[in-house]
């Protein structure tokens, strides 16, 4: 912070805390009145009693601090300014020339970003004391794999199975195996994505990560090494591929085509030389993988054949999961742009990004309405339209908080919920079709 | 023992100003939550904001100022500054500081909610404890805000 700016901002505070080093070597600090002189970038401080005056010319620190107590919570509105400079003594007053200044205002730099900007300092401290950051194994697995995003796999698997069940094909055992294989491949992709984003610099550069964007951060926080993450990813892929081979051998070799397509899309999504996500094709890849490919695969496991209806039913799910990625790229825009990760959000203007979100969400609802009108989808799937207000609120918040990652977080969470609820309502629509 | 008025302020204060001295001899002030167990003043610092810890390791002489009427809901309102010697306890950054949770929780109940989500900001909850043994107190009473009463304390260590 510039000293003059600090002097200007100090006027918002009711008092200053003057600090200097006393003759016994201990800091002396106490509250005092002050008057800011913006023109001369200085302060008049006092009145002070004779025993509380610093020596003429002594370096002093003026601190201006504010919080707002919140009953039952603690406090918020944290901000402070530190100004340093020499003090000239005149009678019972000081004139402090502001030479340097530092400070933090959580309204300008949100707490999470403030923390993220200091990660390097934290890791250096660990190094100095010969220790390492730790996290309980369960939590480490939870964040390293980004486990909550597994709904992206669970929804299309359930949808494919529900469509198959409405056609008279269903097995709980096969559903369990499909979920296991699909989930393993998905977690493998999540972890691989962190490895490649660490290698490319996209995640280390990002100082505004959120729980929904910017990767899991376990590599940047030195909670796990890049090598450990790569091995974890390989293990998940191995489990997913093994389950896939078993299903293909027992249910039909057509699954190899879907399986290979799924793995190729997931690897090409983030890995060189394709890096689909860097080319603005990330949404298409994610939509394809967690929409038609997974839904059709799940359907085939049950029915041993493909289904146009399953393909059609997967389209809204594909759009909503693509929109999850799309919105999660918004806070990453500066970091992605800096490392040449040319996502759609990087390529388009803010207005264009919001408009495209609206169009895509509206298209998903139109597909369902059209599917029911053309008798492709059961009438009960129209229940999915109850999520329209949720989609509208997300668009509104995206528009309002586009440049404020932490204020956008609730909408990002709601966007993941939109995929989950809309997808589950499609599944429920099929279950009702079977039961009624 | 600290004067009872100062003890009361320490128990109520949501924020105090910790002043440390850097390697060049310059005072640097940090707003922090003061915790007090009747003998020692405790503050905790995340490794993310560990500059103050380095300074204290270099020079343990510190002061804690209680100045903000908004953050210290005591009636009548006084101000106080406590000078003391600080020690940084950082042998268990992951959970050593958790022994202070009861004192912390009393001032900032929301800490439990944050702690349940420590996986979200794991490095913020890797924390050192600053233990301050008071040696001298300046009490700025309401009726004489510029001229403090000074209390020299027996060392607690």
């Amino acid at each position: 912070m510039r000293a003059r700016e600090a002097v200007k901002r100090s006027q918002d505070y009711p008092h200053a805390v003057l600090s200097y080093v006393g003759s016994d070597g201990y800091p002396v600090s106490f509250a005092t009145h002050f008057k800011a002189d913006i023109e001369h970038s200085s302060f008049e401080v006092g009145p002070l009693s004779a025993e509380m005056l610093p020596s003429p010319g002594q370096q002093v620190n003026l601190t201006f601090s504010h919080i707002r107590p919140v009953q039952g919570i603690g406090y918020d509105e944290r901000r402070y300014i530190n100004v340093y400079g020499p003090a000239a003594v005149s009678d019972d007053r000081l004139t402090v020339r502001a030479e340097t200044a530092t400070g933090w205002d959580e309204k300008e730099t949100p707490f999470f970003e403030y923390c993220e900007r200091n990660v390097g300092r934290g890791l250096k401290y660990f190094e100095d004391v010969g220790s390492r950051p730790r996290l309980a194994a369960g939590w480490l697995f939870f964040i390293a794999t980004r486990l909550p995003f597994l709904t992206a796999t669970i929804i299309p698997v359930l949808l494919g199975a529900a469509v198959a069940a409405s056609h008279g094909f269903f097995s709980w055992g096969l559903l369990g195996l499909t979920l296991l294989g699909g989930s393993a491949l998905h977690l493998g992709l999540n972890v691989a994505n962190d490895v490649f984003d660490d290698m490319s610099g996209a995640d280390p550069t990002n100082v505004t990560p959120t729980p929904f964007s910017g990767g899991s951060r376990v590599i940047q926080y030195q909670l796990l090494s890049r090598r450990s993450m790569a091995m974890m990813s390989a293990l998940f892929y191995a489990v997913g591929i093994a389950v896939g081979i078993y299903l293909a051998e027992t249910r039909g070799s057509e699954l190899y085509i879907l399986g290979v397509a799924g793995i190729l899309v997931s690897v090409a999504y983030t890995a060189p030389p394709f890096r689909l996500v860097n080319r603005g094709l990330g949404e298409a890849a994610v939509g394809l993988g967690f929409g038609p490919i997974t839904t059709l695969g799940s359907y085939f496991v049950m029915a041993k054949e493909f289904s146009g209806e399953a393909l059609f039913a997967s389209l809204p799910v594909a759009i909503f999961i693509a929109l999850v990625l799309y919105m999660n790229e918004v806070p990453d825009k500066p970091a992605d742009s800096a490392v040449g990760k040319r996502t759609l959000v990087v390529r388009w203007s803010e207005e264009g990004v919001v408009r495209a979100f609206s169009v895509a969400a509206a298209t998903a609802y139109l597909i369902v309405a059209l599917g029911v009108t053309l008798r492709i989808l059961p009438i009960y799937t129209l229940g999915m339209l109850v999520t329209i207000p949720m989609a509208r609120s997300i668009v509104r918040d995206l528009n309002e908080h586009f440049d404020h990652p932490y204020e956008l977080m609730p909408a990002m969470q709601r966007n993941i919920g939109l995929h989950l609820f809309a997808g589950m309502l499609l599944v429920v629509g099929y279950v009702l079709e079977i039961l009624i | 023992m600290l004067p009872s008025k100062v003890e009361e302020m320490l128990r109520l204060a949501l924020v105090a100003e910790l002043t440390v001295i850097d390697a060049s001899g310059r005072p640097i002030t940090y707003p922090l939550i003061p915790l007090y167990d009747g003998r020692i003043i405790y503050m905790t610092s995340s490794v993310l904001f560990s500059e103050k810890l380095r300074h204290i390791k270099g020079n343990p002489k510190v002061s804690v100022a209680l100045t903000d009427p908004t953050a210290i809901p005591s009636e009548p309102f006084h101000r106080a500054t406590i000078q003391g010697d600080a020690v940084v306890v950082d042998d268990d950054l992951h959970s050593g500081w958790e022994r202070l949770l009861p004192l912390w929780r009393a001032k900032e109940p929301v800490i439990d909610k944050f702690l349940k989500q420590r996986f979200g900001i794991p490095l913020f909850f890797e924390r050192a404890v600053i233990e301050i043994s008071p040696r001298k107190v300046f009490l700025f009473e309401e009726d004489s805000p510029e001229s403090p009463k000074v209390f020299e304390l027996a060392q607690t260590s």
Side-chain angles (χ1 to χ4, degrees), chain A residues 26-27 29 49 82 125 128, chain B residues 29 54 63 81 83 85 90 146:
Chain A
Y26 284 86
S29 56
S49 62
N82 271 336
Y125 193 81
D128 291 348
Chain B
T29 300
R54 293 178 196 282
S63 71
T81 299
Q83 290 178 330
D85 298 300
D90 57 8
E146 270 89 47

Side-chain angles (χ1 to χ4, degrees), chain A residues 297-355:
Chain A
S298 174
Y299 183 93
F300 190 92
V301 167
M302 298 293 173
K304 292 189 171 184
E305 63 186 23
F306 290 119
S307 155
E309 182 181 344
L311 176 64
F312 192 90
S314 74
L315 296 179
V317 173
I319 291 172
F320 284 127
I321 196 61
L323 286 180
V324 169
L325 171 71
Y326 182 69
M327 189 159 175
N328 289 357
E329 286 169 351
V330 171
D332 294 346
K333 184 172 182 171
D336 285 348
S337 180
V339 298
K341 193 172 170 181
R342 304 266 299 148
T343 62
L344 291 180
V345 171
V346 169
R347 287 162 192 265
W348 293 345
S349 68
E350 178 180 333
E351 219 173 63
V353 169
V354 177
R355 196 181 312 120

Side-chain angles (χ1 to χ4, degrees), chain A residues 52-302:
Chain A
M52 302 307 287
L53 286 169
S55 308
Q58 190 173 0
Q59 282 287 320
V60 304
N61 170 198
L62 285 172
T63 302
F64 307 89
S65 171
H66 168 85
I67 59 156
R68 183 179 67 171
V70 181
Q71 188 70 32
I73 292 178
Y75 52 82
D76 61 6
E77 288 188 2
R78 291 167 288 185
R79 60 176 186 266
Y80 77 93
I81 299 168
N82 271 336
V83 178
Y84 306 96
V89 181
S90 171
D91 298 328
D92 61 350
R93 289 171 200 270
L94 308 179
T95 301
V96 178
R97 198 174 71 242
E99 288 184 339
T100 57
T102 58
W104 173 52
D105 183 339
E106 72 176 327
K107 269 191 188 155
E108 292 171 3
T109 308
F111 174 70
F112 289 100
E113 182 180 339
Y114 190 46
C115 286
E116 202 59 42
R117 288 184 181 278
N118 285 284
V119 165
R121 180 173 291 162
L123 295 175
K124 178 76 173 63
Y125 193 81
F126 271 106
E127 197 182 310
D128 291 348
V129 299
S131 178
R132 286 183 67 84
R134 282 193 286 146
L135 196 61
W139 284 125
L140 197 51
F141 180 79
F142 182 83
I143 61 169
T145 57
R146 283 179 276 167
L147 206 56
F149 286 100
L150 216 46
T151 53
T153 290
I154 293 170
I155 291 296
V157 167
L158 291 180
L159 183 61
V163 178
S166 76
H167 295 172
F169 310 105
F170 187 74
S171 153
W172 285 108
L174 289 173
L175 176 61
L177 272 177
T178 312
L179 281 171
L180 174 67
S183 299
L185 290 176
H186 183 177
L187 298 184
L189 168 65
N190 281 356
V191 177
N193 190 37
D194 270 9
V195 172
F196 288 114
D197 277 354
D198 183 63
M199 286 166 66
S200 73
D203 282 352
T205 314
N206 194 336
V207 290
T208 56
T210 70
F212 316 106
S213 63
S216 73
R217 319 297 293 172
V218 294
I219 301 175
Q220 288 74 44
Y221 296 163
Q222 295 184 2
L223 291 162
L224 284 174
S225 67
R226 191 193 290 167
R227 184 182 153 82
S228 305
M229 289 287 277
M231 285 168 63
M232 194 193 307
S233 172
L235 186 66
F236 280 125
Y237 271 119
V239 171
I241 289 168
V243 172
I245 289 172
Y246 172 79
L247 288 174
E249 290 298 319
T250 55
R251 305 301 294 168
S253 57
E254 290 90 333
L255 284 175
Y256 281 122
I257 301 166
L258 286 179
V260 169
I263 290 171
L264 282 181
V265 167
S266 82
V267 172
Y269 170 78
T270 190
F274 307 104
R275 293 185 192 264
L276 297 177
V277 67
N278 291 19
R279 300 169 194 273
L281 294 171
E283 286 77 3
V286 164
L288 188 64
F290 293 112
I293 290 178
T294 309
T295 308
L296 280 177
S298 174
Y299 183 93
F300 190 92
V301 167
M302 298 293 173

